């Protein structure tokens, strides 16, 4: 398996204002998805399922909950003597320096990790996307192409048009070599979007990072990849399966709703290995006689007395008698009291919706209720 000769780096540092209250006190990679997972679980599990056992996670904003979730890496079989899981938050010195200025700067500040690793290849990925990808096939493609760098991409025409400008948009020739790459263009020229996954040799990455920082630049995409399109052989790897980025409320809401589709659920959770997450000891969900549940994901420890339809409920949610939840996402520990109605809502952790309240958004603009709010 070639992946034994590859290490992984997961970038989680972006401060996504598009996630509003959901990212106010947590990194986007730590945002709950699909009833019991966090966004980072997908890329981390993909790496482990592909045989990568040396993985570094670079964090920046609101990383406490992310570090608490990852712990020692035991759930992903990464609590090991050789390799394993390494978490690299920024380190602040007396002069206030140490805060990462960009993705290239984040990797450069942890150059020792790259220098001490022995793997020949590096697979770099953002930590806030939901997909199931085989990194072994990606590395095989990279080697067979003789590429210096390979970027995974996907036709994003199934996204909302307004989501394209927050992505990297690229063009490829008939041989899949990348001919153009724009980061977050105001007017995208196409719909081929970067997935934020890159493959290259470890020694090349070290050289590119040193060169980038020496010129006073800090962003990996703008200051390394885009500037090297002509001088390096940079190829695209076309990915055709399910993928969503957790970078805006619309994309987050749509992703969770799509997990109710059996085909999407099969792609993510059945084919190609499991998605692992931090295990919590919770009793099974309890459904009382009055409960009506249709086409929903119900987490462990939930108590359902009311109606739940086309919704995702995380662990320990209580839906009392006469309450009705439709097309909504309810996070851990929230309580929906009797007679309340929620439609097209995203409710964060430990929220109390008091008796008789009616909250209704729509699929374009779901209502967001922040953590520990009483409504």
């Amino acid at each position: 398996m070639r992946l034994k000769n590859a290490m992984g780096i997961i970038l989680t540092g972006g401060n996504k204002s598009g996630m509003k209250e959901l990212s106010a006190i947590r990194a986007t990679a730590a945002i709950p998805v699909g009833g019991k997972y966090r966004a980072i679980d997908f890329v981390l599990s993909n790496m482990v399922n592909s045989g990568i056992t040396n993985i570094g996670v670079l964090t920046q904003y609101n990383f406490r909950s992310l570090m608490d979730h990852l712990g020692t890496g035991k759930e992903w079989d990464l609590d090991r003597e050789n390799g394993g899981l390494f978490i690299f938050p920024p380190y602040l010195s007396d002069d206030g320096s140490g805060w990462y200025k960009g993705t290239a700067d984040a990797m450069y500040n942890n150059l020792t990790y790259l220098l001490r690793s022995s793997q020949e290849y590096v697979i770099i990925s953002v930590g806030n996307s939901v997909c199931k990808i085989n990194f072994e096939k990606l590395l095989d493609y990279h080697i067979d192409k003789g590429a210096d760098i390979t970027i995974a991409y996907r036709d994003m025409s199934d996204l909302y048009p307004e989501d394209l400008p927050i992505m990297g948009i690229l063009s490829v020739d008939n041989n899949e070599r990348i001919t153009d790459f724009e980061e977050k263009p105001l007017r995208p020229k196409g719909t081929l979007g970067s997935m934020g996954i890159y493959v290259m040799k470890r020694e090349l990455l070290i050289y590119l990072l040193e060169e980038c920082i020496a010129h006073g630049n800090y962003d990996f995409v703008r200051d390394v990849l885009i500037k090297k399109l002509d001088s390096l052989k940079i190829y695209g790897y076309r990915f055709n399966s399910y993928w969503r980025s957790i970078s805006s409320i619309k994309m987050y809401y749509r992703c969770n709703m799509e997990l109710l589709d059996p085909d999407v659920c099969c792609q993510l959770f059945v084919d190609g290995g499991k998605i692992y997450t931090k295990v919590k000891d919770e009793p099974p969900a309890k459904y009382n006689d009055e409960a009506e549940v249709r086409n929903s994901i119900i987490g462990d420890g939930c108590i359902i007395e009311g109606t739940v339809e086309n919704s995702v409920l995380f662990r320990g949610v209580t839906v009392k008698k006469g309450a009705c939840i439709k097309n909504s996402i309810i996070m851990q520990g929230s309580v929906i009291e009797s007679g309340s109605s929620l439609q097209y809502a995203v409710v964060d952790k430990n929220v109390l919706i008091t008796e008789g309240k009616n909250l209704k958004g729509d699929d374009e603009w779901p209502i967001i209720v922040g953590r520990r709010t009483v409504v």
Side-chain angles (χ1 to χ4, degrees), residues 103-105 107 124 149 151 181 198 200 204-213 217-232 234:
T103 47
D105 187 52
M107 288 186 280
I124 303 169
I149 301 173
I151 302 174
F181 192 171
Y198 321 105
M200 67 196 73
L204 174 61
L205 175 61
I206 293 171
Y207 169 78
L208 292 174
L209 292 175
E210 290 177 334
E211 181 185 50
C212 178
I213 302 302
N217 299 319
Y218 303 106
D219 187 82
F220 185 67
V221 174
R222 288 191 176 93
D223 300 321
V224 176
L225 297 179
I226 292 177
K227 290 183 178 180
K228 295 293 183 179
L229 279 181
D230 295 330
S231 57
L232 292 178
I234 303 181

Side-chain angles (χ1 to χ4, degrees), residues 309-323:
E309 183 177 335
N310 297 325
S311 295
V312 177
L313 273 58
F314 287 77
R315 298 180 176 105
V317 171
T318 300
V319 181
K320 295 192 175 180
K321 185 177 180 180

Side-chain angles (χ1 to χ4, degrees), residues 5 42 75 85 96 110 127 146 152 156 161-162 240 264 268-269 299 311 321 340 363:
N5 200 24
F42 293 87
E75 281 77 9
L85 181 67
N110 296 286
M156 304 294 181
E162 58 267 30
N240 295 314
V264 172
L268 289 175
F269 302 112
S311 295
K321 185 177 180 180
S340 297
D363 58 353

Side-chain angles (χ1 to χ4, degrees), residues 58-186:
L58 278 60
T59 70
Q60 173 120 310
Y61 298 101
N62 302 323
F63 51 78
R64 188 202 61 78
S65 63
L66 180 64
M67 295 179 70
D68 177 65
H69 176 70
L70 296 175
T72 63
K74 179 180 68 173
E75 281 77 9
W76 298 269
D77 191 29
L78 291 172
D79 55 337
R80 50 181 67 207
E81 292 184 4
N82 296 317
L85 181 67
F86 302 88
I87 304 174
F88 300 106
Y91 49 92
L92 299 180
S93 58
D94 291 340
D95 61 3
S97 63
W99 196 255
Y100 302 148
K101 301 179 181 70
T103 47
D105 187 52
M107 288 186 280
Y108 180 79
N109 271 273
N110 296 286
L111 204 61
T112 302
Y113 170 61
L114 287 167
L115 291 168
R116 289 179 176 175
S117 297
S118 59
Q119 288 80 12
E120 184 177 2
Y121 294 95
V122 181
I123 295 178
I124 303 169
S125 176
V126 295
N128 64 327
S129 60
V130 175
C131 71
K132 176 70 70 67
I133 182 170
N134 186 321
F135 286 120
E136 185 176 9
K137 290 183 179 179
L138 174 58
L139 182 59
D140 286 344
Y141 175 90
H142 172 81
I143 294 172
D144 293 343
K145 278 287 187 182
D148 294 315
I149 301 173
T150 298
I151 302 174
Y153 75 93
R154 181 181 179 276
D155 187 345
M156 304 294 181
S157 56
D158 60 337
L159 299 183
Y160 293 105
E162 58 267 30
D163 285 325
L164 291 176
I166 67 174
M167 305 181 65
I169 302 298
L170 52 86
S171 301
V172 296
D173 63 18
N174 292 333
N175 195 33
E176 293 293 332
R177 183 160 181 172
I178 296 176
T179 57
D180 188 42
F181 192 171
E182 292 183 288
E183 177 71 344
K184 299 178 181 178
L186 290 176

Side-chain angles (χ1 to χ4, degrees), residues 270-325:
V270 178
D271 300 337
K274 295 181 179 179
I275 300 298
Y276 303 96
T277 191
K278 184 177 181 179
V279 176
K280 295 185 179 181
D281 293 327
E282 297 273 5
K286 179 182 179 183
Y287 302 89
N288 288 358
D289 292 340
E290 304 88 351
E292 294 184 24
V293 179
R294 292 183 290 274
N295 191 39
S296 296
I297 295 173
I298 307 295
D300 293 340
C302 289
I303 300 175
I304 312 297
E305 298 176 340
T307 299
V308 181
E309 183 177 335
N310 297 325
S311 295
V312 177
L313 273 58
F314 287 77
R315 298 180 176 105
V317 171
T318 300
V319 181
K320 295 192 175 180
K321 185 177 180 180
C324 181
I325 299 172

